[in-house]
mmCIF file of all heavy atoms in Angstrom:
data_model
loop_
_atom_site.group_PDB
_atom_site.id
_atom_site.type_symbol
_atom_site.label_atom_id
_atom_site.label_comp_id
_atom_site.label_asym_id
_atom_site.label_seq_id
_atom_site.Cartn_x
_atom_site.Cartn_y
_atom_site.Cartn_z
ATOM 1 N N ASN J 1 -33.670 12.686 160.233
ATOM 2 C CA ASN J 1 -32.559 13.601 160.416
ATOM 3 C C ASN J 1 -32.279 14.362 159.133
ATOM 4 O O ASN J 1 -32.684 13.953 158.044
ATOM 5 C CB ASN J 1 -31.304 12.838 160.843
ATOM 6 C CG ASN J 1 -31.444 12.158 162.186
ATOM 7 O OD1 ASN J 1 -32.168 12.624 163.065
ATOM 8 N ND2 ASN J 1 -30.734 11.052 162.364
ATOM 9 N N SER J 2 -31.564 15.457 159.282
ATOM 10 C CA SER J 2 -31.170 16.269 158.130
ATOM 11 C C SER J 2 -32.353 16.557 157.220
ATOM 12 O O SER J 2 -32.297 16.367 156.000
ATOM 13 C CB SER J 2 -30.051 15.557 157.347
ATOM 14 O OG SER J 2 -28.925 15.318 158.166
ATOM 15 N N LEU J 3 -33.417 17.026 157.816
ATOM 16 C CA LEU J 3 -34.643 17.259 157.059
ATOM 17 C C LEU J 3 -34.434 18.256 155.932
ATOM 18 O O LEU J 3 -33.677 19.223 156.061
ATOM 19 C CB LEU J 3 -35.742 17.751 157.986
ATOM 20 C CG LEU J 3 -36.391 16.674 158.859
ATOM 21 C CD1 LEU J 3 -37.185 17.313 159.989
ATOM 22 C CD2 LEU J 3 -37.292 15.776 158.010
ATOM 23 N N LYS J 4 -35.129 17.989 154.851
ATOM 24 C CA LYS J 4 -35.098 18.845 153.683
ATOM 25 C C LYS J 4 -36.501 19.375 153.409
ATOM 26 O O LYS J 4 -37.494 18.767 153.817
ATOM 27 C CB LYS J 4 -34.606 18.074 152.459
ATOM 28 C CG LYS J 4 -33.216 17.487 152.594
ATOM 29 C CD LYS J 4 -32.849 16.692 151.350
ATOM 30 C CE LYS J 4 -31.453 16.120 151.455
ATOM 31 N NZ LYS J 4 -31.082 15.347 150.245
ATOM 32 N N VAL J 5 -36.572 20.465 152.716
ATOM 33 C CA VAL J 5 -37.867 21.035 152.350
ATOM 34 C C VAL J 5 -38.700 20.000 151.593
ATOM 35 O O VAL J 5 -39.925 19.931 151.768
ATOM 36 C CB VAL J 5 -37.685 22.308 151.508
ATOM 37 C CG1 VAL J 5 -39.022 22.806 150.974
ATOM 38 C CG2 VAL J 5 -37.009 23.392 152.333
ATOM 39 N N GLU J 6 -38.042 19.187 150.790
ATOM 40 C CA GLU J 6 -38.727 18.167 150.009
ATOM 41 C C GLU J 6 -39.382 17.081 150.855
ATOM 42 O O GLU J 6 -40.181 16.291 150.343
ATOM 43 C CB GLU J 6 -37.760 17.500 149.026
ATOM 44 C CG GLU J 6 -37.003 18.477 148.143
ATOM 45 C CD GLU J 6 -35.660 18.855 148.727
ATOM 46 O OE1 GLU J 6 -35.610 19.794 149.549
ATOM 47 O OE2 GLU J 6 -34.658 18.206 148.351
ATOM 48 N N ASP J 7 -39.048 17.022 152.143
ATOM 49 C CA ASP J 7 -39.657 16.051 153.039
ATOM 50 C C ASP J 7 -41.028 16.494 153.534
ATOM 51 O O ASP J 7 -41.724 15.726 154.207
ATOM 52 C CB ASP J 7 -38.754 15.790 154.250
ATOM 53 C CG ASP J 7 -37.436 15.152 153.868
ATOM 54 O OD1 ASP J 7 -37.436 14.253 152.998
ATOM 55 O OD2 ASP J 7 -36.403 15.548 154.435
ATOM 56 N N THR J 8 -41.403 17.706 153.234
ATOM 57 C CA THR J 8 -42.700 18.220 153.656
ATOM 58 C C THR J 8 -43.821 17.363 153.078
ATOM 59 O O THR J 8 -43.916 17.172 151.864
ATOM 60 C CB THR J 8 -42.876 19.675 153.205
ATOM 61 O OG1 THR J 8 -41.917 20.495 153.866
ATOM 62 C CG2 THR J 8 -44.270 20.183 153.535
ATOM 63 N N ALA J 9 -44.650 16.833 153.959
ATOM 64 C CA ALA J 9 -45.731 15.949 153.530
ATOM 65 C C ALA J 9 -46.561 15.542 154.730
ATOM 66 O O ALA J 9 -46.177 15.765 155.883
ATOM 67 C CB ALA J 9 -45.175 14.693 152.848
ATOM 68 N N LEU J 10 -47.685 14.930 154.446
ATOM 69 C CA LEU J 10 -48.479 14.275 155.467
ATOM 70 C C LEU J 10 -47.961 12.842 155.557
ATOM 71 O O LEU J 10 -47.959 12.119 154.554
ATOM 72 C CB LEU J 10 -49.961 14.290 155.088
ATOM 73 C CG LEU J 10 -50.948 13.771 156.129
ATOM 74 C CD1 LEU J 10 -50.950 14.679 157.358
ATOM 75 C CD2 LEU J 10 -52.351 13.701 155.539
ATOM 76 N N TYR J 11 -47.509 12.456 156.730
ATOM 77 C CA TYR J 11 -46.906 11.141 156.925
ATOM 78 C C TYR J 11 -47.897 10.174 157.556
ATOM 79 O O TYR J 11 -48.529 10.480 158.568
ATOM 80 C CB TYR J 11 -45.664 11.249 157.812
ATOM 81 C CG TYR J 11 -44.462 11.785 157.081
ATOM 82 C CD1 TYR J 11 -44.396 13.124 156.711
ATOM 83 C CD2 TYR J 11 -43.401 10.952 156.738
ATOM 84 C CE1 TYR J 11 -43.302 13.619 156.016
ATOM 85 C CE2 TYR J 11 -42.301 11.442 156.050
ATOM 86 C CZ TYR J 11 -42.258 12.773 155.692
ATOM 87 O OH TYR J 11 -41.171 13.258 155.006
ATOM 88 N N TYR J 12 -48.004 9.004 156.956
ATOM 89 C CA TYR J 12 -48.922 7.974 157.412
ATOM 90 C C TYR J 12 -48.179 6.758 157.931
ATOM 91 O O TYR J 12 -47.172 6.339 157.349
ATOM 92 C CB TYR J 12 -49.818 7.495 156.269
ATOM 93 C CG TYR J 12 -50.727 8.541 155.678
ATOM 94 C CD1 TYR J 12 -50.314 9.327 154.612
ATOM 95 C CD2 TYR J 12 -52.016 8.718 156.174
ATOM 96 C CE1 TYR J 12 -51.153 10.273 154.056
ATOM 97 C CE2 TYR J 12 -52.860 9.661 155.615
ATOM 98 C CZ TYR J 12 -52.424 10.434 154.555
ATOM 99 O OH TYR J 12 -53.266 11.365 153.999
ATOM 100 N N CYS J 13 -48.697 6.199 158.986
ATOM 101 C CA CYS J 13 -48.232 4.923 159.496
ATOM 102 C C CYS J 13 -49.202 3.847 159.021
ATOM 103 O O CYS J 13 -50.410 4.061 159.017
ATOM 104 C CB CYS J 13 -48.187 4.960 161.027
ATOM 105 S SG CYS J 13 -47.795 3.387 161.822
ATOM 106 N N ALA J 14 -48.680 2.708 158.623
ATOM 107 C CA ALA J 14 -49.525 1.633 158.141
ATOM 108 C C ALA J 14 -49.051 0.291 158.672
ATOM 109 O O ALA J 14 -47.846 0.057 158.813
ATOM 110 C CB ALA J 14 -49.529 1.612 156.608
ATOM 111 N N ALA J 15 -50.000 -0.581 158.941
ATOM 112 C CA ALA J 15 -49.717 -1.928 159.415
ATOM 113 C C ALA J 15 -50.242 -2.930 158.413
ATOM 114 O O ALA J 15 -51.358 -2.788 157.914
ATOM 115 C CB ALA J 15 -50.365 -2.160 160.779
ATOM 116 N N GLY J 16 -49.450 -3.948 158.138
ATOM 117 C CA GLY J 16 -49.833 -4.932 157.145
ATOM 118 C C GLY J 16 -49.888 -6.339 157.680
ATOM 119 O O GLY J 16 -48.919 -6.826 158.271
ATOM 120 N N LEU J 17 -51.012 -6.999 157.446
ATOM 121 C CA LEU J 17 -51.180 -8.400 157.801
ATOM 122 C C LEU J 17 -51.277 -9.286 156.568
ATOM 123 O O LEU J 17 -51.321 -10.503 156.691
ATOM 124 C CB LEU J 17 -52.422 -8.587 158.668
ATOM 125 C CG LEU J 17 -52.415 -7.879 160.025
ATOM 126 C CD1 LEU J 17 -53.742 -8.114 160.743
ATOM 127 C CD2 LEU J 17 -51.263 -8.382 160.881
ATOM 128 N N ILE J 18 -51.339 -8.683 155.400
ATOM 129 C CA ILE J 18 -51.411 -9.443 154.165
ATOM 130 C C ILE J 18 -50.102 -10.167 153.922
ATOM 131 O O ILE J 18 -50.072 -11.346 153.584
ATOM 132 C CB ILE J 18 -51.756 -8.524 152.974
ATOM 133 C CG1 ILE J 18 -53.118 -7.876 153.192
ATOM 134 C CG2 ILE J 18 -51.717 -9.299 151.663
ATOM 135 C CD1 ILE J 18 -53.454 -6.814 152.160
ATOM 136 N N SER J 19 -49.031 -9.432 154.075
ATOM 137 C CA SER J 19 -47.690 -9.988 153.976
ATOM 138 C C SER J 19 -46.872 -9.461 155.136
ATOM 139 O O SER J 19 -46.916 -8.264 155.438
ATOM 140 C CB SER J 19 -47.030 -9.599 152.651
ATOM 141 O OG SER J 19 -45.681 -10.017 152.612
ATOM 142 N N LEU J 20 -46.155 -10.335 155.786
ATOM 143 C CA LEU J 20 -45.340 -9.918 156.919
ATOM 144 C C LEU J 20 -43.940 -9.483 156.505
ATOM 145 O O LEU J 20 -43.153 -9.049 157.345
ATOM 146 C CB LEU J 20 -45.266 -11.036 157.953
ATOM 147 C CG LEU J 20 -46.611 -11.446 158.563
ATOM 148 C CD1 LEU J 20 -46.408 -12.513 159.630
ATOM 149 C CD2 LEU J 20 -47.337 -10.244 159.145
ATOM 150 N N GLY J 21 -43.653 -9.581 155.231
ATOM 151 C CA GLY J 21 -42.402 -9.077 154.733
ATOM 152 C C GLY J 21 -42.450 -7.570 154.632
ATOM 153 O O GLY J 21 -43.513 -6.942 154.748
ATOM 154 N N CYS J 22 -41.315 -6.967 154.407
ATOM 155 C CA CYS J 22 -41.220 -5.517 154.344
ATOM 156 C C CYS J 22 -41.247 -5.046 152.894
ATOM 157 O O CYS J 22 -40.462 -5.511 152.065
ATOM 158 C CB CYS J 22 -39.932 -5.057 155.023
ATOM 159 S SG CYS J 22 -39.645 -3.284 154.945
ATOM 160 N N GLY J 23 -42.149 -4.122 152.613
ATOM 161 C CA GLY J 23 -42.225 -3.562 151.279
ATOM 162 C C GLY J 23 -42.789 -2.166 151.310
ATOM 163 O O GLY J 23 -43.406 -1.742 152.286
ATOM 164 N N LEU J 24 -42.569 -1.425 150.236
ATOM 165 C CA LEU J 24 -43.052 -0.054 150.131
ATOM 166 C C LEU J 24 -44.269 0.062 149.229
ATOM 167 O O LEU J 24 -44.640 1.166 148.827
ATOM 168 C CB LEU J 24 -41.920 0.850 149.622
ATOM 169 C CG LEU J 24 -40.693 0.922 150.533
ATOM 170 C CD1 LEU J 24 -39.630 1.817 149.911
ATOM 171 C CD2 LEU J 24 -41.076 1.434 151.925
ATOM 172 N N ASP J 25 -44.898 -1.046 148.942
ATOM 173 C CA ASP J 25 -46.132 -1.082 148.178
ATOM 174 C C ASP J 25 -47.303 -0.973 149.141
ATOM 175 O O ASP J 25 -47.466 -1.817 150.017
ATOM 176 C CB ASP J 25 -46.210 -2.376 147.376
ATOM 177 C CG ASP J 25 -47.398 -2.424 146.433
ATOM 178 O OD1 ASP J 25 -48.360 -1.651 146.608
ATOM 179 O OD2 ASP J 25 -47.373 -3.256 145.506
ATOM 180 N N GLU J 26 -48.122 0.046 148.994
ATOM 181 C CA GLU J 26 -49.205 0.266 149.942
ATOM 182 C C GLU J 26 -50.262 -0.831 149.913
ATOM 183 O O GLU J 26 -51.031 -0.966 150.874
ATOM 184 C CB GLU J 26 -49.858 1.629 149.736
ATOM 185 C CG GLU J 26 -50.579 1.821 148.427
ATOM 186 C CD GLU J 26 -51.178 3.219 148.348
ATOM 187 O OE1 GLU J 26 -50.400 4.188 148.438
ATOM 188 O OE2 GLU J 26 -52.408 3.334 148.221
ATOM 189 N N ARG J 27 -50.285 -1.625 148.863
ATOM 190 C CA ARG J 27 -51.231 -2.736 148.793
ATOM 191 C C ARG J 27 -50.917 -3.812 149.821
ATOM 192 O O ARG J 27 -51.753 -4.671 150.097
ATOM 193 C CB ARG J 27 -51.233 -3.342 147.390
ATOM 194 C CG ARG J 27 -51.768 -2.413 146.317
ATOM 195 C CD ARG J 27 -51.633 -3.013 144.932
ATOM 196 N NE ARG J 27 -50.234 -3.215 144.577
ATOM 197 C CZ ARG J 27 -49.832 -3.731 143.423
ATOM 198 N NH1 ARG J 27 -50.732 -4.100 142.506
ATOM 199 N NH2 ARG J 27 -48.541 -3.874 143.170
ATOM 200 N N GLN J 28 -49.762 -3.754 150.398
ATOM 201 C CA GLN J 28 -49.327 -4.701 151.413
ATOM 202 C C GLN J 28 -49.949 -4.411 152.783
ATOM 203 O O GLN J 28 -49.891 -5.262 153.674
ATOM 204 C CB GLN J 28 -47.798 -4.652 151.513
ATOM 205 C CG GLN J 28 -47.165 -5.592 152.500
ATOM 206 C CD GLN J 28 -45.653 -5.497 152.498
ATOM 207 O OE1 GLN J 28 -45.046 -5.015 151.533
ATOM 208 N NE2 GLN J 28 -45.024 -5.959 153.566
ATOM 209 N N TYR J 29 -50.558 -3.243 152.941
ATOM 210 C CA TYR J 29 -50.980 -2.792 154.254
ATOM 211 C C TYR J 29 -52.494 -2.719 154.411
ATOM 212 O O TYR J 29 -53.213 -2.284 153.509
ATOM 213 C CB TYR J 29 -50.334 -1.436 154.564
ATOM 214 C CG TYR J 29 -48.830 -1.541 154.546
ATOM 215 C CD1 TYR J 29 -48.110 -1.322 153.383
ATOM 216 C CD2 TYR J 29 -48.138 -1.925 155.692
ATOM 217 C CE1 TYR J 29 -46.732 -1.472 153.359
ATOM 218 C CE2 TYR J 29 -46.761 -2.079 155.673
ATOM 219 C CZ TYR J 29 -46.063 -1.853 154.508
ATOM 220 O OH TYR J 29 -44.693 -2.006 154.480
ATOM 221 N N ASN J 30 -52.952 -3.121 155.572
ATOM 222 C CA ASN J 30 -54.375 -3.210 155.866
ATOM 223 C C ASN J 30 -54.912 -2.021 156.647
ATOM 224 O O ASN J 30 -56.049 -1.577 156.432
ATOM 225 C CB ASN J 30 -54.677 -4.465 156.695
ATOM 226 C CG ASN J 30 -54.189 -5.738 156.055
ATOM 227 O OD1 ASN J 30 -53.038 -6.143 156.258
ATOM 228 N ND2 ASN J 30 -55.065 -6.383 155.286
ATOM 229 N N TYR J 31 -54.130 -1.524 157.581
ATOM 230 C CA TYR J 31 -54.596 -0.508 158.507
ATOM 231 C C TYR J 31 -53.744 0.740 158.413
ATOM 232 O O TYR J 31 -52.509 0.668 158.400
ATOM 233 C CB TYR J 31 -54.574 -1.052 159.941
ATOM 234 C CG TYR J 31 -55.355 -2.331 160.096
ATOM 235 C CD1 TYR J 31 -54.707 -3.553 160.209
ATOM 236 C CD2 TYR J 31 -56.744 -2.317 160.116
ATOM 237 C CE1 TYR J 31 -55.420 -4.729 160.340
ATOM 238 C CE2 TYR J 31 -57.465 -3.489 160.236
ATOM 239 C CZ TYR J 31 -56.800 -4.691 160.351
ATOM 240 O OH TYR J 31 -57.516 -5.864 160.480
ATOM 241 N N TRP J 32 -54.420 1.874 158.377
ATOM 242 C CA TRP J 32 -53.757 3.156 158.172
ATOM 243 C C TRP J 32 -54.154 4.178 159.212
ATOM 244 O O TRP J 32 -55.313 4.231 159.635
ATOM 245 C CB TRP J 32 -54.108 3.708 156.790
ATOM 246 C CG TRP J 32 -53.583 2.887 155.663
ATOM 247 C CD1 TRP J 32 -54.082 1.711 155.202
ATOM 248 C CD2 TRP J 32 -52.444 3.193 154.856
ATOM 249 N NE1 TRP J 32 -53.324 1.257 154.147
ATOM 250 C CE2 TRP J 32 -52.317 2.139 153.916
ATOM 251 C CE3 TRP J 32 -51.532 4.242 154.831
ATOM 252 C CZ2 TRP J 32 -51.296 2.122 152.958
ATOM 253 C CZ3 TRP J 32 -50.522 4.228 153.886
ATOM 254 C CH2 TRP J 32 -50.420 3.173 152.959
ATOM 255 N N GLY J 33 -53.193 5.001 159.603
ATOM 256 C CA GLY J 33 -53.486 6.116 160.472
ATOM 257 C C GLY J 33 -54.020 7.292 159.683
ATOM 258 O O GLY J 33 -54.112 7.263 158.457
ATOM 259 N N GLN J 34 -54.369 8.350 160.397
ATOM 260 C CA GLN J 34 -54.932 9.542 159.776
ATOM 261 C C GLN J 34 -53.868 10.478 159.225
ATOM 262 O O GLN J 34 -54.168 11.356 158.426
ATOM 263 C CB GLN J 34 -55.798 10.302 160.782
ATOM 264 C CG GLN J 34 -57.005 9.530 161.291
ATOM 265 C CD GLN J 34 -58.183 9.575 160.353
ATOM 266 O OE1 GLN J 34 -58.038 9.539 159.119
ATOM 267 N NE2 GLN J 34 -59.376 9.641 160.910
ATOM 268 N N GLY J 35 -52.642 10.294 159.645
ATOM 269 C CA GLY J 35 -51.549 11.110 159.165
ATOM 270 C C GLY J 35 -51.116 12.166 160.160
ATOM 271 O O GLY J 35 -51.909 12.649 160.958
ATOM 272 N N THR J 36 -49.848 12.527 160.089
ATOM 273 C CA THR J 36 -49.304 13.609 160.894
ATOM 274 C C THR J 36 -48.466 14.494 159.977
ATOM 275 O O THR J 36 -47.689 13.999 159.162
ATOM 276 C CB THR J 36 -48.478 13.067 162.088
ATOM 277 O OG1 THR J 36 -48.052 14.149 162.918
ATOM 278 C CG2 THR J 36 -47.252 12.283 161.621
ATOM 279 N N GLN J 37 -48.657 15.786 160.091
ATOM 280 C CA GLN J 37 -48.051 16.722 159.150
ATOM 281 C C GLN J 37 -46.625 17.080 159.537
ATOM 282 O O GLN J 37 -46.352 17.468 160.673
ATOM 283 C CB GLN J 37 -48.894 18.003 159.063
ATOM 284 C CG GLN J 37 -48.341 19.057 158.106
ATOM 285 C CD GLN J 37 -48.399 18.617 156.657
ATOM 286 O OE1 GLN J 37 -49.372 17.998 156.235
ATOM 287 N NE2 GLN J 37 -47.355 18.935 155.899
ATOM 288 N N VAL J 38 -45.739 16.977 158.572
ATOM 289 C CA VAL J 38 -44.358 17.426 158.718
ATOM 290 C C VAL J 38 -44.138 18.541 157.715
ATOM 291 O O VAL J 38 -44.361 18.361 156.519
ATOM 292 C CB VAL J 38 -43.354 16.294 158.458
ATOM 293 C CG1 VAL J 38 -41.920 16.840 158.427
ATOM 294 C CG2 VAL J 38 -43.484 15.217 159.522
ATOM 295 N N THR J 39 -43.730 19.689 158.208
ATOM 296 C CA THR J 39 -43.474 20.830 157.345
ATOM 297 C C THR J 39 -42.062 21.332 157.600
ATOM 298 O O THR J 39 -41.720 21.685 158.728
ATOM 299 C CB THR J 39 -44.484 21.959 157.598
ATOM 300 O OG1 THR J 39 -45.813 21.479 157.369
ATOM 301 C CG2 THR J 39 -44.218 23.137 156.675
ATOM 302 N N VAL J 40 -41.268 21.356 156.554
ATOM 303 C CA VAL J 40 -39.870 21.761 156.658
ATOM 304 C C VAL J 40 -39.665 23.051 155.887
ATOM 305 O O VAL J 40 -39.997 23.133 154.701
ATOM 306 C CB VAL J 40 -38.928 20.677 156.122
ATOM 307 C CG1 VAL J 40 -37.476 21.086 156.344
ATOM 308 C CG2 VAL J 40 -39.216 19.340 156.802
ATOM 309 N N SER J 41 -39.113 24.031 156.556
ATOM 310 C CA SER J 41 -38.862 25.329 155.952
ATOM 311 C C SER J 41 -37.364 25.564 155.815
ATOM 312 O O SER J 41 -36.562 25.100 156.632
ATOM 313 C CB SER J 41 -39.469 26.447 156.798
ATOM 314 O OG SER J 41 -40.867 26.297 156.912
#
C-alpha cells in the first residue's frame, strides 16, 4: 500500500528450509522465484 517511487524494483519470492524462523538474510533461503517487476511512477 501507499507505494512510493523508491519501491520500484524486481521483487523475488523465496522459500527457506535451512531455518524455519523468519529473517531478512537471503542466506536463509533455498528456493527463489524469477522475480516480478514493480514500477512506481
Side-chain angles (χ1 to χ4, degrees):
N1 296 330
S2 302
L3 283 165
K4 300 177 179 180
V5 173
E6 307 93 274
D7 296 319
T8 295
L10 186 65
Y11 283 72
Y12 297 90
C13 174
L17 297 178
I18 299 172
S19 174
L20 298 183
C22 177
L24 298 179
D25 186 342
E26 65 180 59
R27 294 175 297 180
Q28 181 178 340
Y29 300 90
N30 305 88
Y31 305 104
W32 294 77
Q34 298 278 38
T36 185
Q37 180 67 40
V38 172
T39 301
V40 184
S41 299

